[in-house]
Amino acid sequence: MLLKTKFLAPAYNTRSVGRDRLLARLAPRSARKLMLISAPAGYGKTTLVSQWLHTHERPFCWLSLDEHDNQSNRFWHYFVGAIETAIPGFGEEARRHLDSEVTNEASVTAIINELNDWCLTGNELSIVLDDFHNIQNHDVLREFAYFIDFLPLNIEVIITTRYEPRLPISRWSVKNWVDQLYSSDLVFSYEESRTFFNHYMGLALTDKQIEQIFRRTEGWIAAMQLAAISASATQVNEQRYLSAEQLFADERHFSDYVLSEILDHQNETIRNFLLDTSCLLRLNAQLCDAVREQSDSQTILEQLMDANLFLIPLDHKNEWFRYHDMFRESLLNKIKHSAPARLRVLQQRAVAYLTAHDLAHEAIEQVVQVEDWEQLAGLLEKTGNRLIHEGNHIAVLHWLNKIPDALMSKSPRLQMLVIWALFFSNRLDEIQPLLDTLEALIDQQRLDNVETSAHELIDLHSEISLIRSYLARSQADFSSASRLTRQVLDELDHTNMPLKSVTYYGIGLDNYTVGDLQSAEAALKSAIEHGKTEKNYTTVLSSSGLLGWIYFYQGKMELALETGIHNQQWNVSYADPSQPRVISCWQNSVLAMIYIEKAEFTIAETYINPLLKHLQIGTEPSLHIIIQYIRASFLFAQKRFVDAISCLDDALRVYQNKKDVLTFEPPSLGALKARCLIAIGQHEKARAVLQDATERAHHSAPLVSEDLLLTQARIEIADKQYDKARETLRELLTAVSEKSHIYHLIQVHALNAIVAALCGDLEQARTDIHRSLALAAKEGFISVYSNESRDITKALALCDDPTLSDDYLKRLNTALGTQAPAQKAVKQTELPGASALVNKLQLLEPLSQREQEVLELIDKGLANKEIAQKLDLAPATVKAHIRNIYGKIQAKSRTEALSKARQFGLI
């Protein structure tokens, strides 16, 4: 007798998260015989299939498999029984063979023949086999493969499994018989996560909370469900104040899930391997062998990959891996409690292996786990400089902060590492007092005859001089910066420090700032060359990015692209695949700008998106400004002028508050904001913004000054002051021609053509637009024209140059005829309110996260005492936060603070 409940598909919940992107892939297609859905426990495989079946009219049958079905006769009896629920009376001949001594191949043939006869009349059927990982019997798998090989048209099988079964999937894929979904497909997206928490689970979590949970769980649905259960235990009006840490504070439920649903189902070898290697943040076969003192790790890792056991590859060669963080933490907690002494031994073996094999990052992570601060100090003194120059400055700073003051105060090298880490984080305002302390320590150690090698003293001296050159650069003291940099160059041949790349990068910055692009190009090429020798990934990418900007302004977009992509590929090929990929703001921003200029906005966005997380988590001022400028340029090109102004206002706020610690002059934020205001008809405000920007840019770089003058000419044209515009453009033409600033020269000729056309001088307009297009067409500049006013079309219509590429003209015409290039973009012509127009209405200093929380509770009408209880703070601390808020918002009362906070968009 068959258990009929095994044929029942799970009930469909109409409130469940809609997964349209996956349901579309489940839809039957011609020639497909098998839909394979393979992922670990808790990824929603069964729910997805159930959702698809209940939202379509296609006939189906369902079979839930368990470990008892891993036997040929029983499996096929149940298989026939499942089909009979959809086709009454099905399977008499097959059952007769199953009940006799005849081989099961005869039964399978009978099933195939009967299904084929049934399909001849146009019938169709989906056969769902849930939890197919329970089927491991060789005979059953062989018979099932035979079944798929001869499966008739209109029949398809849907399999859900925790790991890919031992079936000829590759052979079937070649024949186009198989479609597959894996855990990477099944994870919740951020939007699906929002729907799950706030609609399906009925919680009141904020977007920020959901994003934190999403990052923590990496979209693993089971982990999100456990977080939701934790949140539901809190009253609705308090849920929005829960942190991700609080939601996962009690990990017993999650650990129980991992242990009962995953670990307990593994054999002893796999179980022990998972526990023994859970202390490793990243792992490969050799490291696992060393830690376990075994030689079978490669085989086990391959088994884990096949079994979908939360092992995530970190490279394309499947050499380095990591576990899903929450899975690893559950395993680590298990061994911490069950075998702490063994865990300590495993970690010591890991440190020994990693140190011996020059895997400093992993070795340090292990030392931090065991809290051996003296060993940490020794490792950082030995490897810290290399790690920082490879792009790990934030991690190094984090590790240095763990070392006790007693150790830090005795080590000049550790103190120098703190300074370098802050330097690469662009936190220059914190460096000066640390340099003074370091120099005092070096002098004191000389007096005390503390043994320090001559090489180390020379290294430290050179490093201090180089840092001081950048501090001088940030204060516009370029003569001191140049003197110190040249001094370092003279000393570098006598040091052991990999500093040439950083030094030449500084020279490149100096030349770029004064507009000497030729000299800047030579210095940056040297910085890249030395950076590759020194394995200084950050400086290579930053130098490559700045070099790309130079080529961009010189009108060499293809060379800029080639340079950027070539150096990115070098970084990928030489960087440690087990570490996070280094992303350079300079590099990504210029690549984004190139594709914005080519009007290829989808590609541009792929370079902008990786930078956005820096805005969300907080980043150094210079990067913040560049990112917002690029975002604004992207939005401006899409006619989303109001959104662009919002980005620029944010960048201007940071610039005005932090301009004393910037090592370079950013592109003109004021010029772009004025262009946005011109585009929406706010000419008076555009003039005010431009005048303010021009006054602030008294000593600015030539590129910035040129950009301001171009915008001044645009305002004069918009105001019909054509003579003034001609004079401005005449002055510009000489400057940009001499410096070969081709990007600006294209614009000068285009604006001259507009003025001439508006004044009726069509021959002059034709001459200027020909000159402009001759320069632009070579490299495919598009947005430089589509970003202008509609008057540009009058000038472009005069072009009759037969040498221009038809393809280029076609792309240009397409861009000019598209008011909203982005799919959902709508041309913005009005600002949302007065607060967005008032340039002076800006925070003196951004609110801290705690101050923001206090402000939101004030907005809810809570008294100081209630706020203190809600945030678990002392009343005096709450009062201090409120005083800070009043000072930053420039308010004197709660009412005024709330009013201004709304104008700032804080609440």
Side-chain angles (χ1 to χ4, degrees):
M1 182 177 294
L2 300 180
L3 189 62
K4 293 184 178 181
T5 53
K6 288 167 67 71
F7 304 139
L8 299 178
Y12 172 57
N13 187 337
T14 55
R15 290 174 52 248
S16 61
V17 177
R19 315 206 67 189
D20 294 344
R21 63 187 174 89
L22 298 179
L23 295 177
R25 293 175 64 178
L26 284 174
R29 64 165 177 81
S30 175
R32 188 174 76 191
K33 294 186 175 188
L34 179 65
M35 181 73 223
L36 179 65
I37 306 173
S38 175
Y43 273 86
K45 303 182 292 294
T46 301
T47 302
L48 175 67
V49 176
S50 175
Q51 187 178 96
W52 182 80
L53 293 174
H54 287 87
T55 52
H56 291 76
E57 296 181 357
R58 181 180 174 94
F60 72 90
C61 61
W62 184 283
L63 175 58
S64 296
L65 296 165
D66 56 46
E67 63 273 15
H68 302 297
D69 299 320
N70 191 32
Q71 186 271 332
S72 179
N73 197 276
R74 177 184 170 93
F75 173 86
W76 290 110
H77 265 297
Y78 269 106
F79 191 88
V80 170
I83 297 175
E84 191 177 16
T85 63
I87 308 175
F90 181 89
E92 288 186 11
E93 182 181 357
R95 281 199 187 91
R96 190 166 59 250
H97 291 308
L98 288 170
D99 292 337
S100 69
E101 297 298 323
V102 179
T103 61
N104 283 340
E105 278 82 353
S107 306
V108 176
T109 301
I111 295 170
I112 293 169
N113 289 339
E114 191 167 354
L115 285 173
N116 185 61
D117 292 341
W118 187 70
C119 290
L120 290 176
T121 57
N123 292 313
E124 58 184 15
L125 181 68
S126 293
I127 304 171
V128 181
L129 302 177
D130 193 30
D131 288 342
F132 195 84
H133 52 267
N134 286 304
I135 307 304
Q136 301 176 34
N137 183 292
H138 176 76
D139 290 336
V140 179
L141 293 172
R142 178 175 49 78
E143 292 159 2
F144 184 78
Y146 171 76
F147 173 78
I148 295 294
D149 279 336
F150 295 97
L151 193 65
L153 295 174
N154 296 343
I155 305 290
E156 74 166 5
V157 178
I158 301 174
I159 286 177
T160 72
T161 177
R162 292 187 179 181
Y163 49 84
E164 191 168 296
R166 294 176 182 174
L167 295 169
I169 303 296
S170 299
R171 173 167 62 83
W172 294 340
S173 297
V174 171
K175 296 182 177 182
N176 200 27
W177 287 358
V178 183
D179 285 339
Q180 300 169 66
L181 289 174
Y182 293 103
S183 54
S184 57
D185 303 301
L186 293 171
V187 292
F188 270 171
S189 66
Y190 171 69
E191 287 301 323
E192 288 170 335
S193 303
R194 287 182 61 194
T195 302
F196 170 73
F197 283 113
N198 290 346
H199 295 283
Y200 179 75
M201 294 300 297
L203 301 175
L205 301 180
T206 65
D207 288 352
K208 184 176 181 181
Q209 287 171 302
I210 294 169
E211 185 179 357
Q212 289 174 337
I213 298 168
F214 175 69
R215 288 202 305 267
R216 179 95 160 81
T217 61
E218 301 182 49
W220 185 7
I221 298 169
M224 289 193 179
Q225 288 175 324
L226 292 165
I229 292 169
S230 178
S232 63
T234 304
Q235 292 183 6
V236 173
N237 61 344
E238 296 182 358
Q239 287 172 1
R240 68 194 302 253
Y241 303 108
L242 292 169
S243 67
E245 289 73 20
Q246 288 172 307
L247 289 170
F248 292 106
D250 184 0
E251 294 188 345
R252 287 174 299 173
H253 296 302
F254 186 80
S255 294
D256 288 346
Y257 180 87
V258 169
L259 298 177
S260 63
E261 291 296 321
I262 302 169
L263 194 63
D264 290 349
H265 287 269
Q266 310 309 315
N267 62 46
E268 185 178 1
T269 300
I270 296 293
R271 190 160 55 243
N272 290 338
F273 181 93
L274 291 171
L275 291 170
D276 285 350
T277 59
S278 63
C279 63
L280 305 174
L281 295 179
R282 286 161 291 276
L283 55 149
N284 64 12
Q286 294 76 24
L287 174 57
C288 294
D289 280 344
V291 167
R292 300 168 55 241
E293 294 189 335
Q294 302 289 334
S295 59
D296 58 351
S297 296
Q298 182 63 45
T299 301
I300 296 176
L301 285 170
E302 291 172 3
Q303 291 174 3
L304 294 180
M305 283 291 291
D306 291 341
N308 276 334
L309 274 177
F310 299 91
L311 192 65
I312 301 168
L314 295 175
D315 56 41
H316 297 300
K317 300 177 182 177
N318 281 351
E319 291 180 358
W320 280 96
F321 305 89
R322 72 171 177 88
Y323 292 122
H324 187 292
D325 283 342
M326 296 188 72
F327 178 69
R328 187 189 68 82
E329 288 166 12
S330 294
L331 297 173
L332 186 58
N333 286 334
K334 163 83 171 167
I335 194 171
K336 274 181 181 178
H337 291 100
S338 63
R342 175 163 178 76
L343 175 60
R344 179 77 180 187
V345 170
L346 293 168
Q347 290 175 317
Q348 289 171 342
R349 290 176 188 164
V351 172
Y353 175 90
L354 294 166
T355 304
H357 288 78
D358 199 26
L359 295 167
H361 198 288
E362 281 76 12
I364 290 170
E365 289 284 11
Q366 287 298 321
V367 171
V368 169
Q369 284 192 58
V370 299
E371 300 184 355
D372 187 339
W373 306 129
E374 286 195 10
Q375 189 175 16
L376 175 61
L379 281 171
L380 285 174
E381 285 182 331
K382 182 180 178 182
T383 64
N385 260 303
R386 176 167 60 82
L387 288 169
I388 286 173
H389 290 292
E390 287 176 355
N392 296 297
H393 48 280
I394 294 175
V396 170
L397 193 59
H398 171 71
W399 294 326
L400 288 165
N401 287 334
K402 292 182 176 294
I403 298 175
D405 291 342
L407 288 174
M408 289 293 298
S409 63
K410 297 176 183 177
S411 173
R413 173 50 56 199
L414 290 179
Q415 292 185 28
M416 191 70 236
L417 288 177
V418 173
I419 291 168
W420 275 119
L422 292 171
F423 169 78
F424 279 104
S425 300
N426 271 358
R427 291 162 60 180
L428 302 189
D429 50 339
E430 302 176 39
I431 288 178
Q432 182 63 57
L434 299 178
L435 283 173
D436 296 339
T437 301
L438 173 59
E439 289 179 322
L441 173 61
I442 293 171
D443 291 341
Q444 186 61 49
Q445 288 191 346
R446 281 175 179 161
L447 290 173
D448 296 343
N449 293 319
V450 174
E451 186 176 344
T452 305
S453 71
H455 280 303
E456 177 67 7
L457 289 174
I458 294 173
D459 290 349
L460 287 168
H461 182 267
S462 298
E463 292 172 78
I464 290 170
S465 296
L466 187 54
I467 292 290
R468 288 200 182 280
S469 76
Y470 275 95
L471 292 181
R473 202 168 281 119
S474 71
Q475 295 161 3
D477 184 358
F478 297 112
S479 61
S480 295
S482 179
R483 175 178 54 78
L484 287 164
T485 303
R486 296 293 172 185
Q487 176 185 321
V488 173
L489 273 180
D490 292 338
E491 296 173 350
L492 280 181
D493 290 335
H494 307 288
T495 74
N496 298 315
M497 297 305 299
L499 298 177
K500 284 190 176 179
S501 60
V502 183
T503 308
Y504 278 109
Y505 177 64
I507 295 171
L509 269 177
D510 290 343
N511 291 323
Y512 179 80
T513 300
V514 299
D516 184 358
L517 301 190
Q518 231 174 358
S519 298
E521 178 184 355
L524 292 168
K525 283 181 175 179
S526 293
I528 293 169
E529 180 184 349
H530 288 296
K532 289 180 177 180
T533 302
E534 299 165 357
K535 298 288 181 69
N536 190 336
Y537 304 112
T538 303
T539 304
V540 168
L541 290 181
S542 294
S543 300
S544 173
L546 186 53
L547 185 58
W549 275 104
I550 289 172
Y551 290 147
F552 177 80
Y553 281 114
Q554 291 177 336
K556 304 172 183 175
M557 283 205 297
E558 292 305 317
L559 181 56
L561 271 179
E562 181 184 339
T563 300
I565 292 172
H566 171 75
N567 286 306
Q568 277 191 334
Q569 289 172 342
W570 173 85
N571 175 56
V572 171
S573 61
Y574 281 92
D576 184 346
S578 69
Q579 302 304 323
R581 182 175 174 181
V582 175
I583 293 177
S584 163
C585 180
W586 274 117
Q587 180 86 300
N588 273 41
S589 65
V590 72
L591 292 172
M593 196 67 181
I594 290 168
Y595 284 109
I596 291 169
E597 188 52 55
K598 286 176 171 286
E600 296 180 22
F601 298 108
T602 301
I603 301 175
E605 204 164 12
T606 65
Y607 288 105
I608 295 172
N609 287 340
L611 302 176
L612 299 185
K613 67 177 181 180
H614 295 289
L615 297 180
Q616 296 164 357
I617 64 177
T619 188
E620 48 269 26
S622 56
L623 297 190
H624 188 106
I625 292 167
I626 289 292
I627 294 167
Q628 289 291 48
Y629 177 80
I630 292 300
R631 288 182 75 197
S633 300
F634 177 78
L635 295 165
F636 178 75
Q638 295 186 307
K639 317 302 180 190
R640 293 165 59 185
F641 306 118
V642 176
D643 295 336
I645 288 173
S646 176
C647 293
L648 290 167
D649 281 343
D650 179 57
L652 282 163
R653 173 184 60 77
V654 174
Y655 176 70
Q656 288 161 10
N657 289 331
K658 298 291 185 179
K659 59 185 176 183
D660 292 339
V661 296
L662 302 180
T663 57
F664 63 90
E665 181 76 10
S668 178
L669 304 167
L672 184 53
K673 181 176 178 180
R675 290 190 69 180
C676 293
L677 290 166
I678 296 170
I680 57 178
Q682 300 282 348
H683 293 188
E684 184 178 344
K685 295 185 185 301
R687 282 193 292 273
V689 167
L690 187 68
Q691 181 179 350
D692 181 62
T694 303
E695 290 172 356
R696 293 176 185 275
H698 183 60
H699 299 293
S700 283
L703 289 169
V704 173
S705 300
E706 291 164 13
D707 212 6
L708 289 166
L709 286 171
L710 282 166
T711 303
Q712 179 182 320
R714 291 182 176 99
I715 292 177
E716 290 164 349
I717 293 170
D719 291 341
K720 300 183 179 179
Q721 297 177 331
Y722 301 133
D723 289 339
K724 281 189 174 182
R726 281 196 185 99
E727 185 59 35
T728 301
L729 292 168
R730 189 178 299 115
E731 176 188 343
L732 254 177
L733 180 60
T734 303
V736 299
S737 298
E738 288 176 352
K739 294 183 173 68
S740 296
H741 295 172
I742 302 301
Y743 179 56
H744 286 165
L745 185 58
I746 291 169
Q747 296 173 67
V748 170
H749 284 308
L751 292 173
N752 268 325
I754 289 174
V755 173
L758 290 172
C759 292
D761 188 351
L762 301 186
E763 282 308 310
Q764 184 60 50
R766 180 178 287 107
T767 299
D768 273 304
I769 203 64
H770 279 184
R771 289 172 177 168
S772 180
L773 284 167
L775 296 169
K778 289 179 182 177
E779 301 283 327
F781 285 87
I782 298 290
S783 293
V784 73
Y785 299 111
S786 60
N787 284 346
E788 295 293 351
S789 68
R790 299 301 294 182
D791 291 327
I792 190 66
T793 57
K794 299 175 184 177
L796 289 169
L798 298 170
C799 176
D800 54 7
D801 185 350
T803 65
L804 292 175
S805 157
D806 288 337
D807 177 67
Y808 172 73
L809 292 175
K810 181 181 178 181
R811 288 188 291 117
L812 180 57
N813 283 327
T814 300
L816 289 168
T818 307
Q819 289 296 315
Q823 195 172 13
K824 295 184 179 178
V826 177
K827 183 176 180 179
Q828 298 172 331
T829 56
E830 293 182 6
L831 290 168
S835 63
L837 293 170
V838 183
N839 197 37
K840 295 179 182 178
L841 189 59
Q842 295 173 341
L843 283 177
L844 297 178
E845 184 181 345
L847 299 187
S848 68
Q849 183 177 349
R850 182 62 81 185
E851 288 165 356
Q852 181 69 41
E853 292 170 352
V854 170
L855 178 63
E856 291 174 357
L857 293 175
I858 291 174
D859 186 41
K860 288 180 171 295
L862 273 65
N864 289 7
K865 186 176 180 181
E866 293 172 301
I867 294 173
Q869 292 173 342
K870 182 73 68 177
L871 298 179
D872 196 22
L873 297 173
T877 304
V878 172
K879 288 182 181 179
H881 284 314
I882 292 174
R883 282 197 302 272
N884 290 341
I885 293 169
Y886 285 5
K888 292 178 179 181
I889 293 181
Q890 297 178 285
K892 297 178 181 177
S893 66
R894 280 192 170 212
T895 302
E896 185 181 5
L898 292 174
S899 174
K900 287 194 171 183
R902 288 190 178 89
Q903 292 178 27
F904 286 121
L906 297 173
I907 54 175

